[in-house]
Amino acid sequence: MDLTTLTKADWHQKAAKLRYETRHFIDGKYVDSIGGGRFEVVNPATGRTFCTVSAGAAGDVDLAVAAAKRSFAARVWSRKAPRERMAVLANYARLLEANAERFALLDTLCMGKPIRDMLSIDIPQAATNFAFFSELIDKIEGTVTSTAADAFHYILREPLGVVGCVVPWNYPLLMAAWKVAPALAAGNSVVLKPAEQSPLSGLLMAELFVEAGGPPGVFNVVNGLGEATGAPLALHMDVAKIAFTGSTEVGKQMLVYAGRSNMKRVSLECGGKSPQIFLADLPDLDVAVNYAINGIYGNMGEVCNAGSRLLVDRKIAPEFIARFVELGKHAYRPGDPLDPATNLGPLVTSSHCARVMSYIERGRKEGARLEFGGATPDSPGSFIEPTLFSGVDNRMTIAREEIFGPVAAAIEVDGIEQAVAVANDSIYGLAAAVWTRDLNTAHKAVRDLEAGVIWVNCFDHGDMTQPFGGYKQSGQGRDKCLESLLSYTQTKSAWLHLG
Ligand code: NAD
């Protein structure tokens, strides 16, 4: 069925009939928490409880890690012939797409993402992610090195063992896919801990892996709160790597957990405060302004690489801001996320909404000019109007801290050198963009900007070959790309004395 033809009423009907699991998925089976605990998930569009879900604790994590460890030791996945693993993951990528309706509803009902974004972004990209890593499995090669005649030396690449994936709620399915796909492709067994705000799509992912032909125990899911479930997983002595996406604060905690336990590897994809530099010679004002609008209001601004700082050359600032106000004020309208016409859903929770509103208040108090937005519509859901501040100084709180909401901060700069200095004056370094016609300026900016991803005359473009990850406190390690797959392997050196 072509899901893009469904109406709001169709989606509501489907939501009412939706069946889903709420228990953990361990060793190929759904199981309750040992202690019987559950937590609530509230639909942020309505403010009403959507479901309750099994709340994991250390004992549940132990069971999931033990299942993963057993499956790894039994070599049912790690030593499966590469082309057989490829077939399972390729089949799995197709199953994800075939289950698009369920995935779309699960994430939209839990965290409020517009259903059209699930269909056009999260689901196709998650499937492509699995397809990409499945295609790489038999392309990973070992090496024979040059040695003296009395030795033969080769280097093998082997999986790590049990990989724990701890992921956020802003792209629940996709962020899980960015970790789980390369981990499985490399031959590891996995325990996924989804965010407590969006716990359901991860369960369906694990169930479908078994349906696709994956051995039980290779992909396990334990739900629960960060401290209660994420911490025991990251502290576990049998987990070889934690692949984390989330806030910088919790990312730092992951490093502590690794140090306090078994020195497990840690990869971190954390927060951002990405600058977009708009120079006076940018190629087309309307194109640039539209990218600026979509770069901060898409996914309600709940995007790690959201273009939250607009560094606009003073020469074009009045024109740029006026155009942003004209085009941006009504481009994103809060609405029912199950309505395919909606492009701005609620923020993930009422507490996150209150947090974003407190940043808006802070912006006003610190002297930024509110151009539009800044209010919450009258609704039981946790909606916030798209908001633009101009006259922002990079020292203001709204320019320094990650707001994770639809709030843009426009800062005036004089030329590229000052723009780069302001862009780099941040603890974060996930992404940045520069808009200019001048090739030299563009290349110099690429060299001088401290960020893992730089866009020139575009924003948020990319594909699976693009390493995605941060400089500075935006993290370490890269998702997508070949490098990501290699980071779920370790090398073994075999030195043979030939006598
Ligand atoms: P978060 O750090 O609060 O939570 C992320 C995950 O960590 C969740 O599963 C949570 O349950 C778990 N967790 C929380 N506290 C924990 C603890 N003490 N011990 C162990 N686990 C714990 O982040 P969030 O609010 O879910 O997501 C938003 C953040 O994610 C933003 O900062 C955003 O920038 C970041 N993010 C980064 C990227 C990237 O690729 N760089 C992508 C998406 C989101």
Side-chain angles (χ1 to χ4, degrees), residues 209-233:
F209 177 70
V210 176
E211 196 178 320
V218 171
F219 184 177
N220 309 276
V221 178
V222 184
N223 270 306
L225 309 185
E227 290 270 348
T229 318
L233 181 61

Side-chain angles (χ1 to χ4, degrees), residues 171-467:
Y171 290 86
L173 170 67
L174 186 58
M175 292 302 99
W178 279 12
K179 309 296 186 196
V180 173
L184 289 177
N188 298 285
S189 292
V190 165
V191 177
L192 169 67
K193 206 300 271 175
E196 54 271 37
Q197 298 85 350
S198 54
L200 302 185
S201 53
L203 294 170
L204 181 56
M205 282 175 85
E207 182 188 318
L208 292 179
F209 177 70
V210 176
E211 196 178 320
V218 171
F219 184 177
N220 309 276
V221 178
V222 184
N223 270 306
L225 309 185
E227 290 270 348
T229 318
L233 181 61
L235 281 163
H236 209 288
M237 297 301 282
D238 290 333
V239 171
K241 169 170 175 163
I242 280 286
F244 173 78
T245 298
S247 62
T248 290
E249 189 190 343
V250 178
K252 288 181 183 176
Q253 198 55 43
M254 292 292 157
L255 295 168
V256 174
Y257 295 143
R260 273 175 49 201
S261 54
N262 59 347
M263 281 169 57
K264 57 179 63 66
R265 288 156 197 242
V266 179
S267 68
L268 302 171
E269 295 286 0
C270 298
K273 195 74 197 171
S274 298
Q276 286 218 61
I277 299 173
F278 299 96
L279 294 175
D281 69 342
L282 55 74
D284 184 310
L285 184 72
D286 276 6
V287 170
V289 166
N290 274 312
Y291 270 92
I293 291 165
N294 295 328
I296 183 60
Y297 300 145
N299 208 51
M300 294 71 74
E302 294 169 332
V303 182
C304 50
N305 62 274
S308 51
R309 287 189 296 154
L310 311 175
L311 310 189
V312 189
D313 199 308
R314 205 175 303 280
K315 291 187 199 122
I316 56 163
E319 202 188 344
F320 185 96
I321 301 292
R323 204 71 184 120
F324 192 112
V325 172
E326 200 180 330
L327 298 175
K329 200 169 174 179
H330 302 297
Y332 284 78
R333 291 172 192 270
D336 177 356
L338 286 177
D339 182 347
T342 295
N343 61 1
L344 194 81
L347 295 200
V348 65
T349 57
S350 56
S351 60
H352 184 54
C353 186
R355 188 164 173 267
V356 174
M357 285 307 291
S358 75
Y359 275 115
I360 292 175
E361 194 45 40
R362 206 66 186 267
R364 279 200 182 106
K365 281 203 178 121
E366 291 182 9
R369 205 163 36 250
L370 183 67
E371 296 281 352
F372 62 77
T376 50
D378 186 22
S379 155
S382 44
F383 294 91
I384 289 189
E385 291 172 354
T387 300
L388 171 67
F389 280 107
S390 64
V392 176
D393 185 299
N394 202 48
R395 287 166 296 192
M396 291 178 186
T397 310
I398 55 168
R400 302 208 79 73
E401 296 185 15
E402 184 183 43
I403 299 176
F404 226 56
V407 182
I411 303 170
E412 293 186 23
V413 289
D414 292 302
I416 183 65
E417 277 181 30
Q418 199 203 356
V420 169
V422 172
N424 289 344
D425 179 17
S426 170
I427 62 163
Y428 297 112
L430 186 54
V434 60
W435 292 78
T436 176
R437 270 206 191 90
D438 187 312
L439 205 58
N440 288 338
T441 306
H443 280 297
K444 281 187 192 157
V446 168
R447 205 183 48 197
D448 295 342
L449 284 166
E450 296 164 356
V453 183
I454 314 284
W455 287 291
V456 177
N457 296 335
C458 65
F459 192 76
D460 214 7
H461 285 194
D463 64 18
M464 283 306 302
T465 64
Q466 172 196 42

